[in-house]
Amino acid sequence: MNRITQKLQEDKKILSIYFSAGYPNLNDTVQIIQDLEKNGVDLIEIGLPFSDPLADGPTIQASSTQALHNGMTTQILFDQLKNIRESVKIPLIIMGYFNPMLQYGVEAFCAKCAEIGIDGLIIPDLPVDVYAEEYKTIFEKYGLINVFLITPQTSDERIRFIDSVSNGFIYMVSSASVTGSQSGFGNTQETYFERIGNMNLKNPQIVGFGISNKETFNQATKYAKGAIIGSAFIKHLSESGSGKIAEFVGEIR
């Protein structure tokens, strides 16, 4: 069974952390992953830096740009992660844009992910229709879960289609904005969370965008299985370095 599927079956709210691979320093990737697991994070999204990150706000864009300047590439990330399963047991997801995967070769990319123990992918700019028609069989061949995003503007019909082709969780974007652009949730988001919760989808939902502390984590997980923290964690890395991860996670849980 895929590690994501196993984790989602646990009777707890999932804390997922996103960071850009190769940031703050090129070779910090593995240590950050190990420290996050050691401090009780349930799932990790490893950002594959890209030069044109459409969905990312200024904080993640800056970390991605710095990682690229540090020399991060797809192949270097794979090299860094080649022995990750010797020390890390929790689910690992690579989150990135489709262009680098296409350049690498979609099947070759999926094969490499399976080889090193990656459990899933999040590709914000890969339309679900294209995935279902052209790539779903490849992902399934290598045991990879592909996670799709929905927003408050996504129609019920499309949400149900996404649910039908998904086999892990649905990434519930809290608002129609870029990452890191809000500091809390209002009535609009609460209504949205409740609406999706009442759709009785087969896949659980994990909320992303706008979660930065214990209060917003608890708000987001009132109706959902878990929540993702990205920009706030990257800000912590930029201000405190990679040596104070326990402090950050401890303030959320």
Side-chain angles (χ1 to χ4, degrees), residues 81-225:
L81 297 177
K82 65 182 179 182
N83 298 317
I84 195 68
R85 286 303 175 191
E86 293 176 7
S87 59
V88 173
K89 305 302 179 197
I90 62 173
L92 299 176
I93 294 176
I94 288 180
M95 183 170 185
Y97 294 88
F98 196 46
N99 188 281
M101 300 176 194
L102 208 52
Q103 288 183 339
Y104 196 89
V106 176
E107 181 149 8
F109 190 94
C110 289
K112 197 67 182 174
C113 285
E115 179 188 318
I116 61 181
I118 297 298
D119 303 291
L121 297 171
I122 301 173
I123 313 166
D125 59 343
L126 175 60
V128 62
D129 322 67
V130 176
Y131 167 76
E133 289 171 18
E134 298 183 30
Y135 300 111
K136 190 170 187 282
T137 53
I138 297 174
F139 277 60
E140 290 176 348
K141 176 181 175 181
Y142 294 100
L144 295 170
I145 285 174
N146 196 23
V147 176
F148 292 98
L149 286 71
I150 63 171
T151 75
Q153 285 69 41
T154 309
S155 69
D156 284 7
E157 182 185 10
R158 191 159 184 84
I159 290 170
R160 293 204 183 279
F161 177 60
I162 286 170
D163 191 43
S164 73
V165 300
S166 299
N167 61 344
F169 66 89
I170 292 172
Y171 189 129
M172 189 159 66
V173 177
S174 65
S175 64
S177 62
V178 295
T179 57
S181 59
Q182 61 187 54
S183 56
F185 300 119
N187 291 337
T188 303
Q189 276 99 9
E190 290 269 354
T191 303
Y192 163 57
F193 295 159
E194 193 170 1
R195 173 172 76 90
I196 303 303
N198 289 336
M199 287 182 73
N200 296 314
L201 303 174
K202 72 180 175 74
N203 292 280
Q205 301 88 55
I206 297 183
V207 180
F209 292 44
I211 297 100
S212 58
N213 52 33
K214 188 180 186 70
E215 180 189 359
T216 46
F217 178 81
N218 289 338
Q219 273 186 294
T221 56
K222 183 178 177 182
Y223 299 103
K225 177 64 177 174

Side-chain angles (χ1 to χ4, degrees), residues 27-48:
N27 294 314
D28 285 344
T29 310
V30 170
Q31 189 64 57
I32 289 173
I33 293 169
Q34 291 170 337
D35 287 351
L36 286 170
E37 179 180 52
K38 188 170 66 180
N39 287 288
V41 169
D42 300 298
L43 190 155
I44 299 170
E45 296 171 19
I46 305 159
L48 178 60

